[in-house]
């Protein structure tokens, strides 16, 4: 009976391995195609920095009114738009910069203190600091020798 | 007009040795190129660039745009969909551009380069005279 379980586990391990190999194989490809493929894509980085999560998103050309951030429990929803209109009276030679309306929800590993979220837009990068809910923050436990 | 990019995929070729070591990929920024009677206008998406690293250079009738995007160095990555890159793109500057008057401006991660046309190249209305020939 235990043997069966072990086989079962091994099957999943094989999937994990396959996935990590694919991730590795596609990692660089994904970065190299950036700038030409995937119209309307807003790449996002998320970091766990202990007390808070740091979220960075590339939204070139977006201004303050174009970005909307909402937090509910541990779900962060980002909405952004930008439009790249042809300026009045100009003809077009090349048009690669997409107009987009983008919405994405991220489920974070812990709850967020919705009152303590800071958002800043700088040079086309959206920077969010999301403070973790009190009981989710790391705590230092004092060790005492008896 | 030949505002076509001269090198769509500069990538490995133009890396400096330091960049090759740092393994910073070189990507071509997305651009829009527009034109009216007075100028050619180039807009390029360069989010997150270091302002000091932005170089707009004219050399042999070619306009080069180069910049380095910095990503905050921090640990604990959960997702990572973008990273530090070098942006590079070149354009052949068409005839009739007043190269001394080219100007560039950066705002919200977008570079805007204006290439004004010389007076001779601007369209002119020819006054038609009506005689009684």
């Amino acid at each position: 009976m235990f043997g069966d379980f072990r086989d079962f586990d091994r099957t999943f391990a094989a999937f994990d391995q396959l996935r990590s190999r694919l991730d590795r194989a596609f990692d660089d490809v994904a970065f190299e195609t950036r700038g030409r493929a995937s119209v309307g894509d807003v790449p996002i980085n998320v970091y766990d920095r202990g007390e808070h999560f740091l979220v960075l998103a590339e939204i070139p050309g977006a201004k303050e009114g174009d970005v909307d951030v909402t937090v509910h429990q541990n779900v962060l929803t980002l909405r952004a738009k930008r439009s790249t209109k042809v300026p009045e009276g100009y003809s077009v030679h090349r048009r690669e910069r997409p107009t987009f309306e983008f919405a994405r929800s991220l489920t974070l590993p812990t709850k967020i203190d919705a009152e303590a979220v800071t958002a800043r837009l700088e040079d086309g990068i959206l920077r969010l600091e999301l403070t973790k809910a009190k009981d989710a923050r790391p705590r230092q436990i004092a060790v005492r020798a008896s | 007009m030949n505002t076509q990019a001269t090198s769509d995929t500069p990538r490995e070729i133009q890396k400096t040795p330091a960049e090759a070591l740092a393994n910073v990929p070189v990507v071509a920024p997305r651009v829009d190129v527009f034109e009216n009677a007075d100028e050619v206008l180039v807009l390029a998406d360069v989010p997150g660039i270091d302002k000091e690293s932005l170089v707009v250079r004219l050399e042999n009738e070619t306009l080069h745009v180069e910049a380095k995007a910095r990503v905050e160095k921090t640990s604990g990555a959960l997702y990572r969909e973008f990273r530090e890159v070098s942006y590079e793109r070149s354009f052949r500057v068409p005839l009739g551009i007043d190269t001394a008057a080219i100007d560039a401006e950066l705002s919200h991660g977008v570079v805007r380069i204006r290439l004004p046309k010389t007076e001779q190249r601007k369209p002119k209305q020819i006054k038609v005279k009506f005689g009684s020939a």
Side-chain angles (χ1 to χ4, degrees):
Chain A
M1 186 184 155
F2 286 117
D4 288 350
F5 271 110
R6 246 173 258 137
D7 284 347
F8 197 60
D9 279 349
R10 233 173 276 145
T11 312
F12 279 103
F15 276 127
D16 279 347
Q17 202 176 23
L18 177 66
R19 207 188 58 169
S20 71
R21 275 188 198 168
L22 283 175
D23 281 351
R24 240 176 292 144
F26 283 112
D27 189 37
D28 286 336
V29 178
F31 280 118
E32 279 180 26
T33 55
R34 202 167 65 95
R36 47 193 73 246
S38 61
V39 169
D41 200 15
V42 173
I44 293 175
N45 286 2
V46 182
Y47 306 90
D48 183 342
R49 300 221 291 198
E51 299 276 308
H52 64 268
F53 294 105
L54 172 68
V55 177
L56 303 175
E58 278 191 340
I59 322 174
K63 297 171 187 77
E64 271 165 34
D66 302 334
V67 179
D68 181 67
V69 180
T70 53
V71 174
H72 179 68
Q73 300 215 349
N74 64 338
V75 178
L76 164 73
T77 304
L78 281 182
R79 275 175 236 277
K81 61 172 196 262
R82 81 147 184 195
S83 69
T84 55
K85 290 198 198 83
V86 179
E88 189 77 29
Y90 284 78
S91 59
V92 176
H93 286 292
R94 210 167 244 267
R95 206 137 148 64
E96 298 167 357
R97 300 170 60 243
T99 286
F100 58 76
E101 263 201 73
F102 146 94
R104 188 160 162 194
S105 291
L106 300 172
T107 305
L108 295 164
T110 68
K111 278 190 194 171
I112 300 303
D113 180 355
E115 303 300 312
V117 176
T118 61
R120 204 154 46 100
L121 199 54
E122 202 180 333
D123 301 325
I125 302 280
L126 174 70
R127 187 180 190 284
L128 294 175
E129 275 190 26
L130 305 141
T131 308
K132 293 180 185 177
K134 230 181 195 139
D135 53 1
R137 288 177 214 161
R139 241 172 313 163
Q140 190 74 42
I141 311 298
V143 179
R144 274 177 297 183
S146 55
Chain B
M1 299 215 53
N2 46 345
T3 42
Q4 303 290 322
T6 49
S7 50
D8 239 11
T9 29
R11 259 175 230 163
E12 306 295 323
I13 320 153
Q14 293 169 8
K15 269 187 189 174
T16 64
E19 272 174 353
L21 276 176
N23 194 25
V24 175
V26 177
V27 300
R30 282 190 273 216
V31 299
D32 285 348
V33 181
F34 304 122
E35 182 187 353
N36 70 1
D38 300 322
E39 63 178 17
V40 174
L41 180 65
V42 178
L43 301 173
D45 280 347
V46 287
I49 62 162
D50 223 350
K51 283 169 195 116
E52 285 72 45
S53 74
L54 175 62
V55 176
V56 178
R57 181 165 46 94
L58 191 71
E59 201 180 312
N60 302 327
E61 283 111 57
T62 306
L63 183 77
H64 300 274
V65 183
E66 295 167 15
K68 285 181 175 51
R70 293 267 169 261
V71 176
E72 238 176 284
K73 286 231 175 357
T74 186
S75 56
L78 301 177
Y79 301 121
R80 224 178 43 130
E81 294 175 351
F82 64 97
R83 62 169 166 180
E84 297 194 338
V85 294
S86 284
Y87 290 110
E88 286 188 20
R89 193 129 180 205
S90 308
F91 305 87
R92 182 84 65 203
V93 175
L95 284 172
I97 292 295
D98 182 0
T99 51
I102 295 175
D103 79 74
E105 185 192 323
L106 177 69
S107 94
H108 301 282
V110 178
V111 195
R112 182 187 181 91
I113 305 166
R114 294 180 50 246
L115 303 107
K117 295 183 186 176
T118 53
E119 283 305 319
Q120 300 101 293
R121 270 299 174 117
K122 289 182 185 169
K124 250 170 271 171
Q125 191 78 36
I126 309 299
K127 199 147 191 175
V128 181
K129 280 181 263 184
F130 297 98
S132 49

